């Protein structure tokens, strides 16, 4: 993740918002702006870990007909023109319904690199992790400020690719400042695992991204991108705005 | 053994478990530990018993409905009168247990979800009783339909927060309560109202509601000298049903019948009959039968009764159904309304719409069941539903009767 010591910018967007066709060009814009990894959100009807911005994106994407099979087709189209790592970011039920084996097989065939399911705890993840590993996919799990050391060890054991640190107790969304809880959580995890660490939840501004990049190997920005998509989805310069914002974040992180 | 479940991780067979974001996992472990300690603590149990008796009004009577039974010409029908409890339904049993636990855990802020408002009112009540801050999440559409209960909660000192996301009903209120909990988990206790959610909620709520079945078991033996042939209860999340069923699980001669909301018909979106119309899935922390579309998106639901209008059934019910230990049927809006009218006129009891679903199934089966004993859990009273009854029986707004003067 941290290539030549440079922290990675991880960009989240909800697939299918405003349409699956547009998702392909939005991902390209994010990559041009300097994103190193894309979290492709698979929308769910009841996104309990998300704040209002991503809740609304889920709703728009579902209304536009975004389903897991169609998102896998979209991933394939992205992969046919880019090698940027793709992580499917969702909740358990859409993947459970598709079937773990089938989801792992079809996602691998589409060029997806891994999954993160926010409401799947490591305790319940046995079959899922086995199916994804057999297909050569990464399983990224969340670590939280509330996690005990015992739990952090379990999270690290079940994770591959990287571990996703939730910067604060709460849901996704933009916040005023980077939580002071992050530094401690990073230190606790560094003592447990050699996996790269990405920090997300609440990072929306270049100065916050820069602060997070000093601590972790990757920085996730989601709601701030999704808000731009919400505001400018009817505009032809949406791609330009995403590219520009990604570049600002990246410059702050590496500057 | 059916009665020894769940396992250490909260599974009833394959159902239940703990499916929440990592931020909530350690707090759920802490809640589980605190609950199992409290369950073994005689001081905790004695305080709960006293509150149930002196504040809530337990034990509730087991009432023989002579006129209704005779008019149906079959089974003897008894009602377990949870409708007589303070706040009007069985919900208070669970709320008293959980508020004692919240206090024991040092929490000062209580949050809860509510559909029609019964659980919200019961939670606001116990929060007032213990002097705690209370926030109730309620779908904006439900707030519109249940304005009186919104006011009741506010009179009790609670904040009622309208939820405008999703379908603006119970499902969205639970989602929003979980978002509050994940944000404020350090000082906040989530007082979940049904046998749903992540472990330990389904087992904890079942334990707090099991007092219903414990009393019923003693009362029917005292009155009839034998156990009933069948026990009926409505099933939304399923807390009143698991509460009355649990004492009878190990009694194979007692048929257990759960009644879901058949709504307006069998099309997806028109009902809340999870067993006939759903498939196993995960919502709000638990794995159980779920109304969902082919892509795993949670389906909209409908019932005239807000308390049964939810897409997931409590996980222990899924297990009892798979084992064949309990039977689950669906009763539609119209049958439930008619059963409520019948009960009002034959016994002078106005049931909550939820409970009326269970009454309807007992009424359907009673004729021809001579010599049998049926017990129906009358889980709540119908005061909250008067406006809905009125909408559905417009003919009662006019009365052509001329007094013989």
């Amino acid at each position: 993740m941290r290539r030549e010591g440079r922290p990675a910018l991880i960009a989240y967007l909800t697939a299918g918002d405003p349409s699956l066709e547009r998702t392909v060009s939005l991902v390209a814009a994010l990559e041009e702006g300097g994103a190193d990894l894309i979290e492709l959100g698979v929308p769910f009807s009841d996104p309990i870990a998300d704040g209002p911005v991503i809740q609304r994106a889920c709703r728009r994407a579902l209304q536009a007909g975004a389903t897991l099979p169609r998102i896998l087709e979209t991933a394939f189209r992205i992969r046919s023109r880019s090698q940027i790592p793709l992580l499917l970011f969702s909740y358990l039920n859409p993947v459970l319904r598709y079937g773990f084996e089938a989801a792992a097989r079809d996602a691998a065939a589409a060029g997806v690199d891994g999954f993160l399911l926010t409401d799947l705890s490591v305790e319940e993840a046995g079959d899922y992790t086995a199916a994804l590993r057999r297909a050569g996919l990464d399983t990224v799990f969340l670590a939280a400020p509330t996690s005990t050391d015992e739990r952090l060890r379990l999270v690290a054991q079940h994770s591959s690719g990287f571990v996703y640190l939730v910067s604060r107790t709460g849901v996704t969304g933009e916040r005023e400042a980077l939580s002071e809880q992050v530094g401690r959580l990073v230190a606790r995890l560094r003592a447990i695992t050699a996996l790269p660490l990405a920090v997300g939840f609440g990072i929306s501004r270049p100065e916050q991204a820069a602060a997070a990049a000093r601590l972790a190997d990757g920085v996730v920005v989601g709601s701030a991108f999704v808000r731009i998509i919400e505001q400018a989805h009817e505009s032809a310069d949406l791609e330009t705005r995403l590219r520009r914002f990604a570049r600002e974040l990246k410059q702050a992180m590496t500057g | 053994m059916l009665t020894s479940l769940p396992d250490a991780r909260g599974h009833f067979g394959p159902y239940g478990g703990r499916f929440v974001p990592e931020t909530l996992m350690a707090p759920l472990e802490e809640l589980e530990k605190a609950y199992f300690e409290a369950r073994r603590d005689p001081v905790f149990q004695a305080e709960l018993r006293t509150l149930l008796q002196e504040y809530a009004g337990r034990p509730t009577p087991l009432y023989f409905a002579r006129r209704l039974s005779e008019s149906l010409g079959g089974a003897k029908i008894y009602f377990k009168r949870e409708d007589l409890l303070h706040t009007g339904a069985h919900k208070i049993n669970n709320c008293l247990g959980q508020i004692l636990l919240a206090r024991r855990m040092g929490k000062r802020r209580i949050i809860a979800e509510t559909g029609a408002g019964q659980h919200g009112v019961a939670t606001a009540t116990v929060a007032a009783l213990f002097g705690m801050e209370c926030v109730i999440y309620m779908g904006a559409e439900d707030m519109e339909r249940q304005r009186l209960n919104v006011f009741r909660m506010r009179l009790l000192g609670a904040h009622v927060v309208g939820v405008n996301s999703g379908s603006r009903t119970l499902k969205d209120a639970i989602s929003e309560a979980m978002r509050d909990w994940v944000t404020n988990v350090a000082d906040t206790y989530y007082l979940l109202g049904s046998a749903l959610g992540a472990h330990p909620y389904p087992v904890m709520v079942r334990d707090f509601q099991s007092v219903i079945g414990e009393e019923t078991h003693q009362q029917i033996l005292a009155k009839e000298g034998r156990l009933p042939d069948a026990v009926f209860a409505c099933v939304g999340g399923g807390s009143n049903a698991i509460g009355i069923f649990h004492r009878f699980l190990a009694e194979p001669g007692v048929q257990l019948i759960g009644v879901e909301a058949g709504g307006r018909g069998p099309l997806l979106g028109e009902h809340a009959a999870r067993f006939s119309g759903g498939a196993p899935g995960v919502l709000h922390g638990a794995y159980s039968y779920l109304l969902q579309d082919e892509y795993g998106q949670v389906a909209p639901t409908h019932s005239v009764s807000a308390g049964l209008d939810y897409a997931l059934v409590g996980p222990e019910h899924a297990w009892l159904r798979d084992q064949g230990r309990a039977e689950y049927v669906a009763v539609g809006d119209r049958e439930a309304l008619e059963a409520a009218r019948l009960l009002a006129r034959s016994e002078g009891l106005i049931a909550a719409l939820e409970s009326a679903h269970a009454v309807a199934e007992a009424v359907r089966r009673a004729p021809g069941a001579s010599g049998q004993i049926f017990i129906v859990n009358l889980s709540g009273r119908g005061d909250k539903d008067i406006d809905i009854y009125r909408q559905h029986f417009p003919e009662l707004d006019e009365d052509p009767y001329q007094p013989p003067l």
Side-chain angles (χ1 to χ4, degrees), chain A residues 98-110:
Chain A
Y98 197 97
F100 293 148
E101 293 290 341
R105 180 194 65 219
D106 295 352

Side-chain angles (χ1 to χ4, degrees), chain B residues 153-176:
Chain B
M153 289 182 263
R154 288 179 175 155
L155 188 61
L156 288 159
H159 299 289
V160 183
V161 179
V163 179
N164 275 299
S165 55
S167 59
R168 308 165 83 227
T169 59
L170 176 61
K171 175 171 79 87
D172 312 287
I174 297 180
S175 292
E176 204 59 23

Side-chain angles (χ1 to χ4, degrees), chain A residues 42-51 55 59 62 66-69 91-98 118-124 142-148 151-152 155 166 168-171 175, chain B residues 9 11 16-27 29 165-167 171-172 174-176 178-180 182-185 278-285 287 290 292-299:
Chain A
V42 178
F44 181 51
S45 52
D46 298 84
I48 56 163
D50 285 301
Q55 287 175 45
R59 207 168 163 77
L62 288 171
T67 61
L68 182 52
Y91 291 79
L92 174 57
N93 206 52
V95 180
L96 186 64
R97 183 73 179 190
Y98 197 97
T118 52
D119 59 345
L120 180 58
S121 58
V122 288
E123 280 86 342
E124 301 283 357
L142 299 174
T146 51
S147 304
T148 57
R151 294 203 57 79
L152 291 183
V155 165
V166 175
R168 63 178 68 236
T169 58
V171 294
R175 297 284 156 61
Chain B
R9 284 187 177 169
H11 295 108
R18 195 175 270 165
F19 297 89
V20 292
E22 173 62 22
T23 306
L24 291 177
M25 288 300 288
E29 289 172 357
S165 55
S167 59
K171 175 171 79 87
D172 312 287
I174 297 180
S175 292
E176 204 59 23
M178 289 182 79
R179 292 183 188 113
D180 179 318
V182 82
T183 307
N184 303 300
V185 64
V282 167
L283 178 65
H284 294 144
Y287 178 66
L290 174 67
Q292 55 184 316
D293 72 11
E294 61 181 305
Y295 300 110
Q297 304 298 337
V298 178

Side-chain angles (χ1 to χ4, degrees), chain B residues 45-58:
Chain B
Q45 292 296 342
E47 188 172 7
L48 176 56
R49 201 157 43 242
T50 303
L51 282 167
L52 287 171
Q53 288 170 6
E54 296 175 8
Y55 187 73
R58 303 211 71 90

Side-chain angles (χ1 to χ4, degrees), chain B residues 110-381:
Chain B
I110 303 296
I111 60 170
E113 80 294 341
T114 199
Q118 287 306 98
H119 176 59
V121 168
T123 302
T125 299
V126 298
L129 180 64
F130 283 83
M132 294 199 202
E133 183 187 353
C134 181
V135 180
I136 305 293
Y137 288 93
M138 188 168 186
E141 190 171 319
D142 288 335
M143 280 178 78
E144 203 53 44
R145 289 191 290 198
Q146 300 282 346
R147 300 178 76 91
L148 206 58
N149 268 343
V150 173
F151 184 79
R152 195 169 286 163
M153 289 182 263
R154 288 179 175 155
L155 188 61
L156 288 159
H159 299 289
V160 183
V161 179
V163 179
N164 275 299
S165 55
S167 59
R168 308 165 83 227
T169 59
L170 176 61
K171 175 171 79 87
D172 312 287
I174 297 180
S175 292
E176 204 59 23
M178 289 182 79
R179 292 183 188 113
D180 179 318
W181 197 34
V182 82
T183 307
N184 303 300
V185 64
D187 71 341
T188 295
Y189 183 94
Y190 182 13
L191 207 165
L192 186 63
S194 194
L196 295 167
H199 181 58
Y201 283 104
V203 60
M204 177 166 69
V205 176
R206 175 252 273 167
D207 289 350
F208 287 138
Q209 294 294 359
S210 289
V211 65
I212 305 172
E214 296 289 341
E215 287 175 9
T216 305
H217 186 270
Q218 287 179 15
Q219 289 166 322
I220 198 66
L221 286 179
K223 283 174 193 292
E224 294 280 353
R226 71 173 183 90
L227 293 177
D229 297 283
V231 176
F232 298 81
C234 63
V235 182
S239 70
N240 89 83
I242 205 68
I244 196 166
F245 288 175
H246 202 252
R247 179 62 182 82
F248 297 101
L249 288 182
E251 305 284 358
V254 181
Q255 236 190 314
L256 304 173
I257 298 150
V259 185
E260 297 183 285
R264 289 184 290 244
L267 287 176
L268 191 63
E270 293 290 299
H271 63 83
R274 288 68 50 99
F275 287 120
S276 55
V282 167
L283 178 65
H284 294 144
Y287 178 66
S288 186
Y289 280 78
L290 174 67
L291 289 167
Q292 55 184 316
D293 72 11
E294 61 181 305
Y295 300 110
Q297 304 298 337
V298 178
T301 53
H302 163 80
S303 170
V304 69
S305 143
L308 305 184
D309 196 357
Y310 182 64
L312 189 96
V313 69
E316 191 164 8
H317 289 291
W319 174 240
L320 293 178
R321 192 250 197 176
D322 278 12
Q323 296 305 299
R325 179 60 194 96
E327 178 191 351
Y328 295 85
V329 298
V331 157
D333 288 353
R334 197 68 228 172
E335 297 161 83
L337 288 158
E338 290 302 340
R341 175 150 64 178
L342 176 67
L343 183 62
R345 292 178 173 203
S346 55
E347 296 290 344
L349 296 173
I350 298 178
L353 273 163
E354 290 79 12
S355 321
H357 286 71
V359 175
E361 185 63 15
V363 164
R364 200 178 66 74
R365 295 189 189 207
S370 293
Q372 293 198 21
I373 298 169
F374 288 1
I375 297 177
V376 180
N377 194 7
L378 200 62
S379 55
R381 58 180 178 246

